[in-house]
Amino acid sequence: MEVLDPVLVWIARLAMVVLFASAGLSKLRRPATFRDAVAAYDLLPGRAVAVVAVAMAADEGIGAALRLWPAGRVAGALLLG
């Protein structure tokens, strides 16, 4: 039994999608800046920083897109979590 109004659920879902999609796109628009931010944590070897930075940005965009479809909700949540 769903307690919340489906319209409110969709509004909340769309707000979350916009938030994560915009975060992923901003990282993809300025890859050097985000790569430098990832490198500043000093957790990865030098060659892996660029790959991880692109993967993290793509992960946010793909996870946000998956949250729009009922079949992808769980997978999207796992990617964003």
Side-chain angles (χ1 to χ4, degrees):
M1 179 175 149
E2 199 165 310
V3 180
L4 294 175
D5 184 7
V7 174
L8 295 176
V9 173
W10 269 101
I11 289 171
R13 188 175 297 146
L14 286 175
M16 184 177 58
V17 165
V18 168
L19 174 75
F20 281 107
S22 66
L25 286 175
S26 71
K27 290 173 180 131
L28 288 173
R29 267 188 266 157
R30 293 190 175 94
T33 304
F34 184 59
R35 186 177 53 243
D36 292 343
V38 172
Y41 282 99
D42 202 26
L43 296 173
L44 300 166
R47 295 186 316 224
V49 170
V51 174
V52 169
V54 171
M56 286 174 67
D59 176 60
E60 283 183 338
I62 293 168
L66 284 173
R67 293 290 294 161
L68 289 173
W69 289 275
R73 276 189 275 182
V74 173
L78 290 173
L79 282 174
L80 295 173

